[in-house]
Amino acid sequence: MSQFINAKEDLVTEALDGVLAASGGALSRLDGYPHIKVVFRSDWDKSKVALVSGGGSGHEPAHAGFVGKGMLTAAVCGEVFASPSVEAVLAGILAVTGEAGCLLIVKNYTGDRLNFGLAAERARALGRRVEMVVVDDDIALPHLPQPRGVAGTLFVHKIAGALAEEGADLAAVTQTAKDVIAKVASIGMSLDTCTIPGSLKEARIGEGKAELGLGIHGEPGIEQVDFSGAVAAMGTVVEKLKGHATGDVVAIVNNLGSTTPLEMSVLTHAMTEAGLAQHIIGPAPLMTSLDMHGFSVSIMEATPGELDALKAAVTLPAWPGLKAIVAPPVVALPDGLTPIEPIPSENPRTRAIIQNVTDLLISAEADLNTLDAKSGDGDTGSTLATAARALQARLDHMPLADLTQLFPALGNELSQTMGGSSGVILAIYFNAAGDACANGASVQGALADGLARVSQVGGASVGDRTMIDALAPALSALPEGIAAAAAAARAGADSTANIHRAKAGRAAYVPEENLKGHNDPGAEAVALLFGALAKEMGT
């Protein structure tokens, strides 16, 4: 898999220098590359308790992304998924520790415990006051005597960081960190493993499966479970976390690396619906696992003082802040936007035609998506199928016996249920046809008026590689019968495979070689519709 890196050996140092360059001078580093990679606050004056954390890289924005006022004083970074050396940790301690002392916040991995622990001993021998806490929040393996430290570590960073910023002494900061650690529980789930730079990706999670409880270094989880959607995935995680925190619960919803913001919002909705917590941090990438397509949830019961510490403002772009979980506020539509409901009427023939045409669009969803992927974003089939399903659900409310009402009713329905430009185009089309029909035009004339309006507003015409290439010839041939119209629509759609430069629509942005030999998906949909009409009307 290609990645935006240069030499693997320079990955971490180049990444850290990128963070420093974009910090506006807020962050500095020790001159110890490549073996000593320590990022610390540029404004640090050693008058308060220093907080030092770190570990292997690959978990960004942790840990360097949380160095700043109110959180970490310094981050000691190792290579990808590798603990920093004793010398690197000691350098970090010595760089930021003054009379007030230093607290090391360490995730419970053997390498981190050993290297940070020995560095603490050496720092004490040099006269520094150093304490160390170990975070063990992962509940994936309940019988493990040494649970791993994962994203729940961020609770410790934030709460202890707020207390240290207020000037609390080392004993108070350390005890608070221990109190938080005792209450934190975390577990994650992923659809895929991560890609370690310079190594082949391990493909152990099969299609249709998700792994529960995997580690932030890509370690296998407790089990693989069937994947059936975001609600079920989050439900599994919530069930594991239940009982680990009660009362006023805060949840960190963490993106493990490559889960899209859209997916994270869906997962967040599922978590809030489950009633797991009253407050939330995220969703955001906070402690990632390179490009892992997964998420984790960390929870803790917070005291009023801890809530205040979590709410305390920091100027760190990576920290999303604490928010109360609320029911989504919903406000009524402004006057004039609520569509006028048509007066329902029945016409079995019209109902059957609409039913069959919409069935066709639903069945063609995958084929049209595949075709659209050649020239667009691969969603034409889904867009049409979504609108078709919505239209079927509204048939009982449609004025099926009156075309002057049916055409605008179709336009209004499609404008609400069909996304992208397609819904707008068809809304314009049917509303214009309805106006023409109400003014006495024949069905053929009304449909032609609709096409003229679409061309006028959208700027497309025959030859531009759009649905018009099939619709225009079909309407021209309609006086000869529906079979002739269907044949013309098919010929028009097929002609778009030879139009290598689109002049309208999303295909206009696509290289010519991607379009060669492929019908325009909108034109193809029109051809399919007229074919279905011809079949339905018995010709």
Side-chain angles (χ1 to χ4, degrees):
M1 175 182 174
S2 298
Q3 296 174 301
F4 288 109
I5 66 173
N6 300 307
K8 173 185 159 185
E9 295 76 16
D10 301 327
L11 170 58
V12 176
T13 55
E14 290 181 350
L16 288 176
D17 280 346
V19 171
L20 292 167
S23 74
L27 301 178
S28 300
R29 69 170 174 87
L30 294 181
D31 186 13
Y33 278 0
H35 304 298
I36 294 175
K37 297 180 279 290
V38 176
V39 174
F40 62 97
R41 287 174 55 176
S42 300
D43 64 350
W44 188 243
D45 63 6
K46 299 186 181 181
S47 63
K48 299 176 182 178
V49 173
L51 264 59
V52 178
S53 191
S57 296
H59 306 303
E60 289 69 27
H63 298 84
F66 300 121
V67 174
K69 185 177 181 180
M71 288 191 76
L72 298 179
T73 312
V76 187
C77 305
E79 292 301 310
V80 173
F81 293 170
S83 176
S85 67
V86 174
E87 287 72 19
V89 178
L90 180 60
I93 296 171
L94 296 178
V96 298
T97 303
E99 291 293 328
C102 171
L103 175 64
L104 303 181
I105 301 171
V106 182
K107 297 187 299 302
N108 196 19
Y109 289 93
T110 302
D112 288 350
R113 289 187 67 148
L114 291 174
N115 285 289
F116 278 80
L118 182 53
E121 293 294 335
R122 289 178 58 181
R124 292 185 191 113
L126 293 172
R128 303 306 197 275
R129 296 176 59 212
V130 181
E131 297 289 344
M132 186 172 95
V133 294
V134 179
V135 186
D136 55 358
D137 54 308
D138 187 12
I139 63 165
L141 305 168
H143 304 299
L144 191 68
Q146 294 288 341
R148 299 169 295 199
V150 288
T153 307
L154 301 174
F155 280 124
V156 188
H157 290 172
K158 186 64 178 69
I159 295 172
L163 196 63
E165 191 63 43
E166 292 174 356
D169 62 23
L170 181 58
V173 174
T174 302
Q175 187 57 53
T176 295
K178 290 178 179 179
D179 292 343
V180 171
I181 290 169
K183 299 191 291 184
V184 177
S186 302
I187 192 167
M189 177 181 283
S190 184
L191 298 175
D192 202 358
T193 55
C194 58
T195 307
I196 299 175
S199 302
L200 292 176
K201 186 171 186 174
E202 182 185 6
R204 70 170 183 266
I205 304 176
E207 187 70 27
K209 293 287 187 178
E211 193 161 274
L212 177 67
L214 68 178
I216 57 172
H217 304 113
E219 312 98 305
I222 185 173
E223 63 178 327
Q224 289 194 11
V225 298
D226 292 334
F227 177 70
S228 59
V231 169
M234 182 57 78
T236 301
V237 166
V238 168
E239 193 60 35
K240 293 288 184 181
L241 290 169
K242 277 183 177 178
H244 286 273
T246 57
D248 208 346
V249 177
V250 182
I252 292 176
V253 182
N254 175 50
N255 185 339
L256 283 170
S258 69
T259 311
T260 65
L262 200 62
E263 291 171 283
M264 290 303 301
S265 293
V266 172
L267 289 163
T268 299
H269 172 65
M271 190 209 72
T272 58
E273 289 288 293
L276 180 66
Q278 290 74 49
H279 301 271
I280 188 169
I281 297 168
L286 297 167
M287 186 170 289
T288 63
S289 182
L290 293 171
D291 61 346
M292 187 176 286
H293 190 180
F295 71 98
S296 68
V297 178
S298 304
I299 60 170
M300 68 167 283
E301 179 183 352
T303 65
E306 289 164 344
L307 280 176
D308 288 341
L310 290 170
K311 291 175 183 176
V314 293
T315 57
L316 300 174
W319 184 251
L322 178 78
K323 303 288 189 301
I325 294 174
V326 299
V330 179
V331 179
L333 289 172
D335 289 343
L337 284 183
T338 304
I340 299 173
E341 283 289 321
I343 300 172
S345 59
E346 186 54 61
N347 185 307
R349 186 64 167 155
T350 301
R351 176 184 285 270
I353 290 172
I354 294 175
Q355 184 70 48
N356 289 338
V357 165
T358 50
D359 283 343
L360 172 71
L361 289 175
I362 293 168
S363 66
E365 179 176 359
D367 290 340
L368 289 174
N369 279 343
T370 300
L371 191 60
D372 187 37
K374 307 293 184 182
S375 59
D377 52 4
D379 68 348
T380 291
S382 297
T383 299
L384 290 169
T386 297
R389 294 186 184 97
L391 186 55
Q392 287 183 348
R394 290 283 297 167
L395 277 178
D396 289 342
H397 303 276
M398 285 290 180
L400 300 177
D402 184 353
L403 289 180
T404 62
Q405 292 188 52
L406 178 59
F407 283 147
L410 289 171
N412 290 335
E413 183 65 31
L414 294 174
S415 70
Q416 296 175 68
T417 60
M418 185 181 290
S421 58
S422 302
V424 177
I425 288 171
L426 291 178
I428 292 170
Y429 180 80
F430 282 113
N431 276 293
D435 289 344
C437 199
N439 289 324
S442 64
V443 172
Q444 178 191 343
L447 295 176
D449 275 10
L451 176 60
R453 186 76 59 83
V454 166
S455 294
Q456 177 187 11
V457 174
S461 57
V462 173
D464 288 347
R465 204 179 194 280
T466 68
M467 60 180 284
I468 290 176
D469 288 296
L471 184 57
L475 295 181
S476 295
L478 193 56
E480 302 169 32
I482 190 64
R490 170 49 57 198
D494 292 343
S495 72
T496 61
N498 299 315
I499 301 174
H500 301 156
R501 177 169 298 197
K503 298 178 183 178
R506 190 161 292 171
Y509 314 129
V510 176
E512 293 181 32
E513 56 268 21
N514 290 49
L515 304 180
K516 292 179 180 178
H518 304 293
N519 287 8
D520 175 77
E524 180 65 20
V526 170
L528 291 174
L529 285 176
F530 273 92
L533 288 171
K535 183 177 180 180
E536 172 65 25
M537 300 174 83
T539 57

